[in-house]
Amino acid sequence: MMATWIKGVLTHRWRALVLAASGLAAATALIGIVGVFASISGSTMTRRAIADLPVDWQVAIAPGSDAAALTQKLSASAPIKVARTVGYADVSGFQTTTGGTTQTTGAGQVLGMPEGYTAAFPGQIRPLLGAPKGVLIAQQAAANLHVSVGDSVSILRTGKDPIAVKIDGIVELPNADAMFQTIGPQKGPAATAPPDDVILLPFEQWTALFAKDTGIQGGSARLEIHARLDHAALPSAPTAALADATGRARNFEVRAAGVAQIGDNLAARLSAVREDALFASILLLFLGLPGIALAALLTIAVVRTEMVRRRHEHALLSLRGASVPAITRIAIAESGCVATLGTVAGVLVAGLVSATVLGADPASRAVLVWLGVALLAGLLLALASVLVPTLADLRASTVAAQRAMLVQAARPLWRRAYLDVILLVIAGLLVWRVAQTGYQIVLAPEGVAATSVDYTAFLAPLCLWIGAGLLVLRLASLALGAGRTVLAAALRPLAKRLSDPVAASIARQNRRIAGGVALATLAFAFATAVAVFAATYNAQSLVDAELTNGADVTVAGTIADPAGARLADIRHQPGVLAAEPMQHRYAYVGNDLQDLYGIDPATIGKATTIADAYFANHDARTALAGLARTPDGVLVSQETVNDFQLAIGDVINLRLQTGPDRQYHPVPFHLVGVVSEFPTAPRDSFLVANAAYVAAQTGNAHAETVLVRTAGDPSRPAAAIRTALGASSPLKVTDLAQAQRTIGSSLTAVDLRALTGIELAFAIVLAIGSTGLVLWLGLSERQRSAAILSALGASVADVRLFARAEAGIILIGGAVCGFTLGELVAAMLVRLLGGVFDPPPEALRQPLVYLALVLLVTAGALWVAAARRRPEGLEARIT
């Protein structure tokens, strides 16, 4: 009998099975797609974060130790791709005589660079002028000494005769902070900044000058091994890669105890990414879970529409002698067909979308694991949404249960306990907590080698989503049940003489229709929340890139070669709307060296975005106006205010490079405001001042940077500027596209367009299913009412008014409540995930075209569902 029954169901009711399995397939597919995307994004973040890291490990060698032996130990601890020994020597300064004057610098360093170092560690040394090898001088030292290629410079060695060298080239050291880091425990204060005055010698020449000092404890010279690991051997996930890299470094420290210490640049970079990786996982859960839950609710709704059919069939089986256990087995088998069809289809969709849209390798371990997780989760969802309701309905189909159904059903427990109100209050309290305490969902305490997630943050959107859905269900049921007069008046333009009967019919079915409104609300809310958050996220990723780059196009120079000197050439290039100069200097706040940006507050906004979120008072215009009114004014970061116990109006003595000696001398400034972000500025401490005052105090009016606003695609004006500057120009031109590629350790570098595009497509499907499909299937429950109306002489148009009135209520109620709830959820996500954005968005972006599309498509589905069948011949169904 079982086989015959299943064959009959598959033959004659396959459409119902497919519809019931569709929601389950959507939930399963979403689980798989979100999981695969999380795996891909984690791998992408790891790869991007370490791709441009020039040196992974810097190994400080103890005096007298064998560098070759330590290199072998390195290879035993980690997959070393390349390793080179570099010499460091402290000198008292450099000296040269040009133009009849003698320039002498302060203390500096001389590096010994092995053959092929630049090729082995790209990005560590950037040639600017002259030969890329030989005797090279850092650009800042060249500016301090006023020397160029071909000039002679004397190296002043402490206690020894000076050595004269001829400059072959001028270079930039982009990674100077790491290159000159102090490795190992410090006995005194650590250096706050890399040296300005640096000369690089071939390693053999350096060895001839300083080799003897490397064997002396506390000598002026030392050796380091610079190593780059094989990144392909690292795990793809940031947290796992960090654990692996840290473990290998510790393994080497054990092998080389007492003779070497590691400066682990790789672990430092991965440590910065781990927080973003957790943010990414949380973000994907926030975006994916509502869709998965909605798909499960849709499956339950579809299963419930089949309750009448199942009861008739089970009663027929019972009359023909089938036992309750046999009927139960049949129900389980039918539910199993739905579960199998839904989960298998969902896994196939997830695999197909992952391979085609996300670009994942379908045979990779991560994809297979997540498809397996999706299959298991789909089966569990099937158990909860298909099998359990079916068995519950079967138990309720006994005679005693049918008699009990005649008694007035009590209100559900959640309504009596006001669970909806409680959940909304909890959501409000959690949001208030965020606003008051400013806590972070991802916690990364200083000095702790692990991050943690404040999982209570999940409760706020979850409580809002569930509480709002239940509240809509309560209010819709009350309004439809008690507002018959108002409802009749509202329906009179549509139903005319049938407005009262239609209103009465809707009032009698208030719970079922209220359920449709609530499901439609959640569908619209899911579509709205994902669309608004995605639009805000994508817009903010562009803001993040602009903040990092400085403007649409940024031309960066140095003190020796300022970009401001070519300002006229830059302004006259096609596509350039505005170009403004900006000084980029350095200043000491106490012993802390910080970036100093000199601007014209009145014109800087023409070339770049100066957002309110950049300033502590959240008012960019007021902050810049205050700076403009105070010639010696300065804006400082909140970190500096806290560290130095500063207040608005305080006089700050900053040390800037001034005068012909190019040494740091105190310059007074007045603190006029607090700034948290600024174009091209680092994430930590920095200063913003008036360019005119900085120029007057330092005797140098040059602007090292030029910010450019462009029309259209910034890459074309950027190319035109590069051409105008010339191939030999030391100036560096970058645009927004380049900035977006280089901010790999930032979460907003993860491109969510593919995932959100998939989810937005699912949102439309779920909105159609939650409205049109449920209404279409639910018409079978109204066949008796339609038959009675038809028998009493109602026309086809009159009968369809009932379905259309119900459709209108579901559409209007669901759209109004759903769009409102979606906006609230999106705002809450942006607030909770504030650490994602740098800076936080000033307002939510509204994808009006998509939201209008969702509304139109849903309205069309409801119109089709309301007109899907004719009531002719239904009189025979009257019993």
Side-chain angles (χ1 to χ4, degrees):
M1 182 176 67
M2 177 75 70
T4 303
W5 183 269
I6 296 301
K7 180 180 178 181
V9 169
L10 294 177
T11 302
H12 301 287
R13 302 200 60 84
W14 62 270
R15 292 182 180 86
L17 288 179
V18 170
L19 293 174
S22 58
L24 189 59
T28 304
L30 274 176
I31 293 172
I33 291 169
V34 170
V36 171
F37 185 84
S39 176
I40 293 174
S41 62
S43 177
T44 301
M45 293 175 69
T46 303
R47 186 175 65 255
R48 289 182 179 179
I50 63 179
D52 62 344
L53 187 62
V55 178
D56 294 331
W57 286 355
Q58 291 178 225
V59 182
I61 304 175
S65 300
D66 186 355
L70 285 173
T71 301
Q72 292 180 353
K73 290 182 179 180
L74 271 178
S75 300
S77 298
I80 300 298
K81 194 171 184 178
V82 62
R84 296 287 189 274
T85 302
V86 178
Y88 288 76
D90 299 322
V91 295
S92 57
F94 305 108
Q95 188 177 82
T96 187
T97 301
T98 57
T101 62
T102 299
Q103 285 80 31
T104 304
T105 71
Q109 289 205 24
V110 178
L111 301 184
M113 311 308 296
E115 182 71 22
Y117 182 89
T118 303
F121 302 98
Q124 190 82 326
I125 300 174
R126 177 173 170 250
L128 297 178
L129 190 65
K133 60 181 180 179
V135 178
L136 308 175
I137 186 170
Q139 59 176 348
Q140 186 62 59
N144 294 340
L145 291 170
H146 305 296
V147 298
S148 188
V149 176
D151 292 336
S152 180
V153 176
S154 295
I155 301 174
L156 306 179
R157 300 181 295 169
T158 305
K160 298 180 181 180
D161 295 334
I163 298 294
V165 295
K166 183 180 179 181
I167 302 301
D168 296 311
I170 299 175
V171 298
E172 179 188 7
L173 303 176
N175 201 39
D177 287 339
M179 192 174 194
F180 295 98
Q181 65 178 298
T182 304
I183 301 171
Q186 304 299 307
K187 295 181 180 179
T192 57
D196 290 331
D197 302 304
V198 180
I199 285 181
L200 296 79
L201 301 178
F203 190 75
E204 294 76 10
Q205 187 176 356
W206 184 92
T207 302
L209 296 176
F210 302 104
K212 292 182 180 179
D213 294 331
T214 61
I216 303 173
Q217 188 71 34
S220 61
R222 63 195 184 280
L223 296 175
E224 283 187 9
I225 298 174
H226 290 188
R228 184 175 176 85
L229 278 62
D230 183 4
H231 294 165
L234 293 172
S236 59
T239 303
L242 174 61
D244 183 79
T246 304
R248 293 182 185 277
R250 290 175 178 172
N251 181 271
F252 171 76
E253 288 177 345
V254 171
R255 293 173 183 268
V259 296
Q261 290 180 311
I262 282 186
D264 197 343
N265 302 327
L266 178 61
R269 180 67 64 86
L270 290 172
S271 179
V273 180
R274 60 183 174 162
E275 181 178 338
D276 290 332
L278 281 175
F279 263 122
S281 301
I282 294 168
L283 175 59
L284 297 179
L285 285 175
F286 274 136
L287 292 178
L289 280 179
I292 295 168
L294 179 60
L297 291 175
L298 176 59
T299 304
I300 294 174
V302 173
V303 171
R304 287 180 62 86
T305 61
E306 294 287 292
M307 287 175 59
V308 175
R309 175 191 60 85
R310 283 196 303 271
R311 287 171 182 169
H312 281 290
E313 292 174 347
H314 294 164
L316 182 60
L317 288 171
S318 179
L319 288 174
R320 295 184 176 182
S323 63
V324 173
I327 297 174
T328 302
R329 287 193 295 271
I330 289 174
I332 293 174
E334 186 176 341
S335 301
C337 291
V338 174
T340 302
L341 179 62
T343 53
V344 172
V347 170
L348 291 177
V349 170
L352 180 62
V353 172
S354 299
T356 56
V357 180
L358 301 182
D361 180 6
S364 65
R365 181 175 180 273
V367 173
L368 294 177
V369 166
W370 274 107
L371 292 182
V373 170
L375 179 63
L376 179 60
L379 292 175
L380 293 176
L381 281 174
L383 177 65
S385 60
V386 178
L387 184 56
V388 171
T390 301
L391 294 179
D393 183 47
L394 185 63
R395 288 194 299 271
S397 297
T398 63
V399 174
Q402 294 294 336
R403 288 177 178 175
M405 290 174 63
L406 297 177
V407 182
Q408 181 66 35
R411 290 190 305 164
L413 178 61
W414 68 265
R415 292 189 64 174
R416 287 180 279 130
Y418 289 92
L419 180 62
D420 48 348
V421 177
I422 293 174
L423 290 175
L424 291 175
V425 170
I426 292 174
L429 290 175
L430 290 174
V431 174
W432 176 83
R433 173 196 170 199
V434 173
Q436 294 298 314
T437 64
Y439 88 113
Q440 292 292 324
I441 186 174
V442 175
L443 308 173
E446 291 292 335
V448 179
T451 55
S452 60
V453 179
D454 185 356
Y455 288 99
T456 59
F458 286 95
L459 293 176
L462 180 64
C463 290
L464 176 62
W465 202 69
I466 298 176
L470 293 177
L471 181 63
V472 169
L473 183 59
R474 176 195 294 273
L475 296 179
S477 180
L478 290 175
L480 295 176
R484 182 181 303 182
T485 303
V486 176
L487 187 60
L491 292 174
R492 190 161 288 116
L494 175 67
K496 297 181 180 178
R497 61 185 178 83
L498 292 178
S499 58
D500 290 325
V502 171
S505 175
I506 290 175
R508 284 193 300 271
Q509 303 177 74
N510 66 85
R511 290 192 177 184
R512 183 182 58 78
I513 298 176
V517 173
L519 193 60
T521 295
L522 296 180
F524 280 115
F526 173 62
T528 304
V530 173
V532 171
F533 184 87
T536 304
Y537 182 97
N538 293 332
Q540 207 63 23
S541 66
L542 187 61
V543 172
D544 191 8
E546 184 178 17
L547 182 63
T548 301
N549 191 57
D552 295 341
V553 176
T554 298
V555 184
T558 64
I559 293 179
D561 297 288
R566 305 295 300 273
L567 181 61
D569 295 332
I570 295 171
R571 282 176 170 167
H572 286 88
Q573 299 310 307
V576 174
L577 298 179
E580 292 296 324
M582 181 175 71
Q583 296 170 340
H584 182 196
R585 312 283 176 83
Y586 296 93
Y588 278 98
V589 183
N591 291 324
D592 186 13
L593 185 67
Q594 298 185 12
D595 295 82
L596 172 68
Y597 298 92
I599 65 168
D600 183 347
T603 61
I604 188 68
K606 296 179 181 179
T608 186
T609 300
I610 305 296
D612 292 337
Y614 294 176
F615 303 93
N617 64 352
H618 296 284
D619 189 340
R621 179 176 298 180
T622 300
L624 292 179
L627 182 62
R629 287 193 305 268
T630 312
D632 63 345
V634 65
L635 302 170
V636 304
S637 65
Q638 186 65 54
E639 182 179 353
T640 301
V641 170
N642 295 338
D643 291 345
F644 293 92
Q645 299 293 301
L646 301 176
I648 303 296
D650 285 352
V651 176
I652 310 173
N653 288 312
L654 306 178
R655 287 185 291 142
L656 281 70
Q657 279 189 335
T658 61
D661 59 357
R662 308 302 302 163
Q663 297 301 308
Y664 285 90
H665 299 286
V667 176
F669 287 82
H670 276 89
L671 176 58
V672 297
V674 178
V675 59
S676 57
E677 307 281 357
F678 206 75
T680 75
R683 290 176 181 266
D684 52 6
S685 302
F686 60 91
L687 310 159
V688 179
N690 288 292
Y693 182 73
V694 173
Q697 295 297 316
T698 61
N700 181 1
H702 290 306
E704 291 74 21
T705 304
V706 173
L707 305 179
V708 182
R709 187 184 296 278
T710 65
D713 183 5
S715 61
R716 294 182 179 180
I721 293 172
R722 292 189 189 96
T723 302
L725 296 177
S728 61
S729 173
L731 302 182
K732 184 178 181 181
V733 182
T734 58
D735 57 46
L736 284 182
Q738 292 173 285
Q740 286 182 306
R741 289 193 294 268
T742 58
I743 57 174
S745 62
S746 171
L747 178 57
T748 48
V750 178
D751 190 355
L752 286 180
R753 288 180 176 84
L755 179 64
T756 52
I758 294 169
E759 290 204 338
L760 293 176
F762 270 93
I764 292 178
V765 173
L766 292 174
I768 294 173
S770 300
T771 53
L773 178 59
V774 172
L775 181 66
W776 188 79
L777 292 173
L779 287 178
S780 61
E781 298 184 17
R782 295 186 293 278
Q783 291 301 304
R784 178 181 176 83
S785 299
I788 294 174
L789 287 170
S790 181
L792 293 175
S795 65
V796 173
D798 292 337
V799 174
R800 283 179 177 170
L801 277 176
F802 287 79
R804 288 174 179 172
E806 181 178 335
I809 292 172
I810 292 175
L811 177 64
I812 296 173
V816 172
C817 298
F819 287 146
T820 303
L821 176 59
E823 292 286 346
L824 291 175
V825 172
M828 183 176 290
L829 288 180
V830 171
R831 185 66 185 86
L832 289 174
L833 297 173
V836 171
F837 304 106
D838 182 28
E842 296 182 1
L844 297 178
R845 301 299 179 99
Q846 301 297 328
L848 298 179
V849 174
Y850 173 80
L851 296 180
L853 176 64
V854 172
L855 184 61
L856 290 175
V857 170
T858 306
L862 283 169
W863 184 85
V864 172
R868 66 114 176 176
R869 79 173 51 161
R870 297 171 60 86
E872 286 86 344
L874 294 178
E875 296 87 346
R877 295 179 179 267
I878 302 174
T879 60

